[in-house]
Amino acid sequence: MAVKISSASASFDEEIDRLLMSKREISEDVDHIVRDILKDVEDRGDEAVLAYTAKFDRLSVASMDELKVTEDELNAAVAQVPTETYDALKLACDRIRAHHEKQLPESSSYMDPIGVELGSIWTPVEAVGVYVPGGLASYPSSVLMNVVPATVAGVERIVMVVPSPDGVLNPLVLAAAKLAGVTEIYRIGGAQAVGALAYGTQSIAPVSKIVGPGNAFVSAAKRRVFGRVGIDMIAGPSEILVVADEGNNPDWVAVDLLSQAEHDPVAQSILITDSPTLAEEVAVAVEKQLETLPRADVAGESWKNYGAIITVDDLEAAMALSNRFAPEHLELAVEDPDALLPLMRNAGAIFLGRYTPEAIGDYVGGSNHVLPTARSAKFSSGLSVLEFVKRSSILRCNPDNLAQIGPAAVKLAEAEGLGAHAKSVAIRLNR
Amino acid sequence: MAVKISSASASFDEEIDRLLMSKREISEDVDHIVRDILKDVEDRGDEAVLAYTAKFDRLSVASMDELKVTEDELNAAVAQVPTETYDALKLACDRIRAHHEKQLPESSSYMDPIGVELGSIWTPVEAVGVYVPGGLASYPSSVLMNVVPATVAGVERIVMVVPSPDGVLNPLVLAAAKLAGVTEIYRIGGAQAVGALAYGTQSIAPVSKIVGPGNAFVSAAKRRVFGRVGIDMIAGPSEILVVADEGNNPDWVAVDLLSQAEHDPVAQSILITDSPTLAEEVAVAVEKQLETLPRADVAGESWKNYGAIITVDDLEAAMALSNRFAPEHLELAVEDPDALLPLMRNAGAIFLGRYTPEAIGDYVGGSNHVLPTARSAKFSSGLSVLEFVKRSSILRCNPDNLAQIGPAAVKLAEAEGLGAHAKSVAIRLNR
């Protein structure tokens, strides 16, 4: 049973603070192991990657060639996928692509009042690596969410790495890779795969950016190669926060809460409502649904340890509280979500109204499901096309406007003690 | 004397590779020291910050209050700045603000063909920390470049930290802070300042994002707190790459090269030209100017160890090479820069034509001078307003369009073994 907190309680603030501070991540200290693996991959390349793959994935092969997924294997995987599932994957892919196409920033420039030209040129990252976890957390939907924005951005080379412990690969994941537009796939994982992508090996050319979720080893490796390559966020356990009024079906709210809880025993599901009645009804509904849920063990543990039902005086208070949680997913299951939306300050993705369960955004809504967790929506955004492009600024002066603004630059350069800076402007003023 | 490389040479590729691989960063291993400092600041707060400030900055005070810069101190600093310098700073600030105001992304949403609403809401980060180095590298222009985009984004709380070794602070830096719109200033620095910003102390409320350059301790600390807060890039030594045709004044090109070289003995300045004549003339001009340059020691060392003059067959080849260097600053000192611009793939900022020396962008051009170094322009962009806002995606279905796309979501959730996900959609379909 989740914790129940009421704003009527004298200890409300304290209880909320406790909830906000609760650490849900088990931070395994794998950094020294990862450092050694990365160093080894940087030094020995393929040889090191093959050795770690044999050791960790129990997959012994003679050369990297054998770990590269061929076009035939890809087609065979697609053939294995039931038609209905393939069609669903295709619908998801098309909808994700259509939405992300609207995110492409446009290069532009303008003249300022004195004729200086300023602007931005957006170009795609040339090569991107996408990490896809093996085993249970190997989700085809995540492949779409990570790869499609890269293809929309115009990334030419998209290298997917996915470990195949004991040689086993999920055909759906390969089908998603093909649909989305991955250009190379290697059956490698862990820190060794991150190292191969960042440093390159004899067989794998290096990439400029690495995205995608992974276990503690993968996260530590991404953090270490950051700077050498770009990385996306370090993803934490999933979260949902539902702001709900009285007019909800408690079963609907309950299953939405459980849909995050079933991800992970350290996932977090929170309901904030202005209706004590709904609070009670949802609490009951959750317990009831747990009786029949296939992943009840996982969901139940998450709900018991990290779930919360919070009652507040009004929905404005609910929004203020939600902003402090900065949830990955925020459902506004209320009569008039548009009235609450302007109060939102921090959230990864927002699901409006009673007919937008979070799970629709996980698959076919079209928006991205790679979202900031663990309060990081306070400073970062979900994955988008912007993650796969970069901006070069442009500046153009002519003799006249350089004469107008140049002297100030000379003054500031002198004040900073940078003589060549000053001279590089001054020399162009003395014509 | 810088290295000279010609595409006519048989060893051209090899020499370019060597130049690309040359390591310019001295990676001091300060990570274990930084880890301990951060832990201490997290545990003890103000007390730890005061202790490290006494130890590293030789500045012993009884409470954090004494390290907070007051309005009076700020005004006194402004009064100390010569009028002409202040006016130059003001011009720079105004121009930077005017340009960055054009970068503000707009929230928007649309209905897709089946009536699903998708969109993005952009909101400012609520609190940002700006690290400003003390001592020699304490540049007022950098204060403007880091702070103005945050104010334009709408950040409410902008906390500047700047160490004042032995109590000394640069009045120009304080004047820039006031002009730009900093809301709190503390005279603290190093990993302890980064820790105070990230975790908060009894006196300093935590921020959500930390930007600004610093030494090895500051960089290591930023890397460690990344995730808890957002950070900007890890900045490396400065770089310039000048693509020049024959029609240049070699003195102009030489001083532009030296304007980066004077920053740091490990800065890098590269000329690529299709004119062997210009190559020779610039080589001579650099040596001549080094004779009178105030910071000739620094600039000379950088030029000798890391400078390069590369001659190629044509300007297209120059651009292809430039893309591999992915320079922080790219000058296109050619007759027709617009003909080369479409060939640019990787660069932080581009300066077009003969009358746009890079230094104009450092101060008064209006674009940002915080730019990606060390090839990171391959995957990242210069500082902009985008760094201080974040995007929340929105999604809204109604019963009809949920009925259209919901079954595919159910199918995919089932394929991924996520029963509650499937049920959260299915329960809304069976009306």
Side-chain angles (χ1 to χ4, degrees):
Chain A
M1 188 52 225
V3 62
K4 288 184 189 174
I5 306 176
S6 163
S7 64
S9 154
S11 59
F12 179 71
D13 288 341
E14 212 173 282
E15 289 172 77
I16 293 293
D17 281 344
R18 197 177 311 134
L19 197 59
L20 275 165
M21 303 294 284
S22 70
K23 282 225 195 316
R24 290 182 294 131
E25 294 216 51
I26 309 108
S27 59
E28 295 173 65
D29 190 12
V30 298
D31 202 43
H32 57 291
I33 304 171
V34 164
R35 186 193 55 206
D36 294 346
I37 294 175
L38 289 176
K39 177 83 175 59
D40 197 17
V41 171
E42 188 176 10
D43 291 346
R44 295 198 298 144
D46 283 345
E47 204 183 323
V49 177
L50 291 174
Y52 291 114
T53 302
K55 183 175 171 187
F56 296 127
D57 296 341
R58 297 162 305 278
L59 184 64
S60 287
V61 297
S63 81
M64 193 62 88
D65 266 4
E66 297 178 54
L67 294 177
K68 188 166 184 174
V69 174
T70 64
E71 197 61 30
D72 285 350
E73 288 174 283
L74 218 47
N75 292 331
V78 172
Q80 268 185 269
V81 176
T83 308
E84 257 189 77
T85 310
Y86 185 83
D87 290 346
L89 209 55
K90 175 93 170 52
L91 175 75
C93 188
D94 292 345
R95 289 188 55 87
I96 296 164
R97 180 165 291 127
H99 176 59
H100 284 75
E101 276 169 358
K102 305 212 180 250
Q103 295 175 342
L104 253 182
E106 269 176 50
S107 301
S108 66
S109 75
Y110 66 94
M111 298 278 190
D112 77 2
I114 61 167
V116 175
E117 184 182 347
L118 295 113
S120 297
I121 298 182
W122 291 93
T123 48
V125 176
E126 292 176 284
V128 165
V130 178
Y131 192 96
V132 176
L136 266 187
S138 187
Y139 294 135
S141 59
S142 290
V143 174
L144 300 181
M145 293 292 180
N146 279 285
V147 174
V148 171
T151 63
V152 170
V155 176
E156 284 171 18
R157 193 169 155 253
I158 302 174
V159 188
M160 179 169 125
V161 293
V162 52
S164 61
D166 303 307
V168 180
L169 257 190
N170 182 349
L172 262 179
V173 160
L174 292 183
K178 190 176 159 83
L179 265 175
V182 168
T183 58
E184 286 167 53
I185 307 176
Y186 299 93
R187 291 182 290 152
I188 58 177
Q192 59 274 20
V194 174
L197 291 170
Y199 305 123
T201 70
Q202 297 84 346
S203 310
I204 305 177
V207 301
S208 294
K209 180 150 192 168
I210 302 174
V211 301
N215 63 15
F217 290 86
V218 173
S219 292
K222 280 169 69 180
R223 193 182 283 267
R224 277 205 166 258
V225 299
F226 170 58
R228 172 98 177 203
V229 297
I231 62 169
D232 59 347
M233 65 202 77
I234 306 285
S238 197
E239 307 150 4
I240 190 170
L241 192 152
V242 181
V243 171
D245 59 16
E246 188 149 295
N248 280 282
N249 182 329
D251 283 331
W252 294 16
V253 173
V255 72
D256 293 359
L257 294 169
L258 288 172
S259 75
Q260 292 310 301
E262 76 174 342
H263 267 300
D264 193 329
V266 291
Q268 183 165 52
S269 305
I270 296 174
L271 167 65
I272 310 182
T273 179
D274 61 348
S275 160
T277 313
L278 184 80
E280 277 314 309
E281 288 170 346
V282 169
V284 173
V286 166
E287 298 305 325
K288 180 138 176 288
Q289 294 193 23
L290 276 172
E291 289 168 18
T292 57
L293 197 67
R295 291 173 62 88
D297 49 340
V298 173
E301 201 179 329
S302 156
W303 180 245
K304 185 181 69 176
N305 293 327
Y306 302 106
I309 295 181
I310 305 172
T311 48
V312 291
D313 288 343
D314 51 46
L315 295 174
E316 289 68 34
M319 290 306 291
L321 209 46
S322 171
N323 288 333
R324 294 177 62 193
F325 281 98
E328 180 188 15
H329 305 104
L330 171 62
E331 279 188 13
L332 299 182
V334 296
E335 192 57 37
D336 183 10
D338 294 304
L340 296 187
L341 204 48
L343 305 177
M344 187 284 305
R345 294 296 300 264
N346 305 308
I350 307 159
F351 303 86
L352 300 170
R354 310 196 199 285
Y355 283 89
T356 318
E358 183 279 325
I360 205 78
D362 279 341
Y363 297 110
V364 297
S367 51
N368 209 292
H369 80 197
V370 181
L371 295 164
T373 57
R375 325 261 174 274
S376 64
K378 288 187 174 185
F379 55 82
S380 62
S381 312
L383 199 68
S384 75
V385 170
L386 290 174
E387 205 78 32
F388 299 102
V389 292
K390 60 261 181 344
R391 194 178 50 82
S392 304
S393 64
I394 60 173
L395 193 63
R396 171 161 25 201
C397 294
N398 61 33
D400 294 333
N401 52 43
L402 187 68
Q404 287 182 64
I405 61 175
V410 173
K411 200 84 212 162
L412 291 172
E414 285 169 350
E416 292 185 352
L418 296 174
H421 281 66
K423 192 175 172 191
S424 74
V425 176
I427 202 170
R428 287 166 164 96
L429 298 177
N430 306 322
R431 286 181 302 148
Chain B
M1 189 49 224
V3 64
K4 289 185 189 174
I5 305 176
S6 164
S7 64
S9 154
S11 59
F12 179 72
D13 288 340
E14 212 172 285
E15 289 172 78
I16 292 294
D17 280 345
R18 197 178 311 134
L19 197 58
L20 275 166
M21 302 295 283
S22 70
K23 279 223 196 319
R24 292 183 292 128
E25 293 216 53
I26 310 107
S27 60
E28 294 173 65
D29 190 11
V30 299
D31 202 43
H32 56 293
I33 303 170
V34 164
R35 186 193 54 206
D36 294 346
I37 294 174
L38 288 176
K39 177 84 174 58
D40 197 17
V41 171
E42 189 175 10
D43 291 346
R44 295 198 297 145
D46 284 345
E47 203 183 325
V49 176
L50 291 174
Y52 291 115
T53 302
K55 182 174 173 188
F56 296 128
D57 297 340
R58 298 164 302 282
L59 184 64
S60 286
V61 295
S63 81
M64 192 62 88
D65 265 4
E66 297 178 53
L67 293 177
K68 188 167 183 173
V69 174
T70 64
E71 196 63 30
D72 284 350
E73 289 174 282
L74 217 48
N75 292 331
V78 172
Q80 268 185 269
V81 177
T83 308
E84 259 188 75
T85 311
Y86 186 82
D87 290 347
L89 210 55
K90 176 91 170 55
L91 175 76
C93 188
D94 291 346
R95 288 188 57 86
I96 296 163
R97 181 165 290 127
H99 176 58
H100 284 74
E101 275 169 358
K102 304 209 180 253
Q103 295 174 342
L104 253 182
E106 268 175 52
S107 301
S108 66
S109 75
Y110 65 95
M111 298 278 191
D112 77 2
I114 61 166
V116 174
E117 184 182 348
L118 295 113
S120 298
I121 297 182
W122 291 93
T123 47
V125 176
E126 292 176 283
V128 165
V130 179
Y131 192 96
V132 176
L136 267 185
S138 186
Y139 295 135
S141 58
S142 290
V143 174
L144 299 181
M145 294 291 180
N146 279 286
V147 174
V148 171
T151 63
V152 170
V155 176
E156 282 170 21
R157 191 169 156 252
I158 302 175
V159 187
M160 179 169 125
V161 293
V162 52
S164 60
D166 302 308
V168 179
L169 256 191
N170 182 350
L172 263 180
V173 161
L174 291 184
K178 191 176 158 81
L179 264 175
V182 168
T183 58
E184 285 167 54
I185 307 176
Y186 299 92
R187 291 182 289 152
I188 58 176
Q192 61 274 21
V194 174
L197 291 170
Y199 305 122
T201 70
Q202 296 83 346
S203 310
I204 305 177
V207 301
S208 293
K209 181 151 191 168
I210 301 176
V211 301
N215 62 17
F217 290 86
V218 173
S219 292
K222 280 169 69 180
R223 193 182 283 268
R224 277 202 166 261
V225 298
F226 170 58
R228 170 99 178 202
V229 298
I231 63 169
D232 59 348
M233 64 201 78
I234 305 285
S238 198
E239 309 150 3
I240 190 170
L241 192 152
V242 181
V243 171
D245 59 17
E246 187 149 294
N248 279 281
N249 182 328
D251 283 331
W252 295 15
V253 174
V255 71
D256 292 0
L257 294 169
L258 289 171
S259 74
Q260 291 311 301
E262 76 174 344
H263 267 300
D264 193 327
V266 291
Q268 183 165 53
S269 305
I270 296 174
L271 167 66
I272 310 182
T273 178
D274 61 348
S275 161
T277 313
L278 184 81
E280 278 313 310
E281 288 170 345
V282 169
V284 172
V286 165
E287 298 304 324
K288 180 139 177 287
Q289 293 191 26
L290 276 171
E291 289 168 18
T292 57
L293 196 67
R295 292 172 62 88
D297 50 340
V298 173
E301 202 180 328
S302 156
W303 180 245
K304 186 181 70 178
N305 294 327
Y306 302 105
I309 294 181
I310 305 172
T311 48
V312 291
D313 288 341
D314 52 45
L315 295 174
E316 288 69 32
M319 291 306 291
L321 209 46
S322 171
N323 288 334
R324 293 178 62 195
F325 281 97
E328 180 189 15
H329 305 105
L330 171 62
E331 278 189 15
L332 299 182
V334 296
E335 192 56 37
D336 184 8
D338 295 305
L340 296 188
L341 203 49
L343 305 177
M344 187 285 304
R345 292 298 299 264
N346 305 309
I350 307 160
F351 303 86
L352 300 170
R354 309 196 200 287
Y355 283 89
T356 318
E358 183 279 325
I360 205 77
D362 280 341
Y363 297 110
V364 297
S367 51
N368 209 292
H369 80 196
V370 180
L371 295 164
T373 57
R375 324 260 174 275
S376 63
K378 288 188 174 183
F379 56 82
S380 62
S381 312
L383 199 67
S384 75
V385 170
L386 290 175
E387 205 78 31
F388 300 101
V389 291
K390 60 262 182 337
R391 195 178 50 82
S392 303
S393 64
I394 59 174
L395 192 62
R396 169 161 27 202
C397 294
N398 61 33
D400 294 334
N401 52 44
L402 187 68
Q404 287 181 64
I405 60 175
V410 173
K411 200 83 213 163
L412 291 171
E414 284 169 352
E416 292 185 352
L418 297 173
H421 281 64
K423 192 175 172 192
S424 74
V425 176
I427 203 172
R428 288 165 164 96
L429 299 176
N430 306 323
R431 287 181 302 149

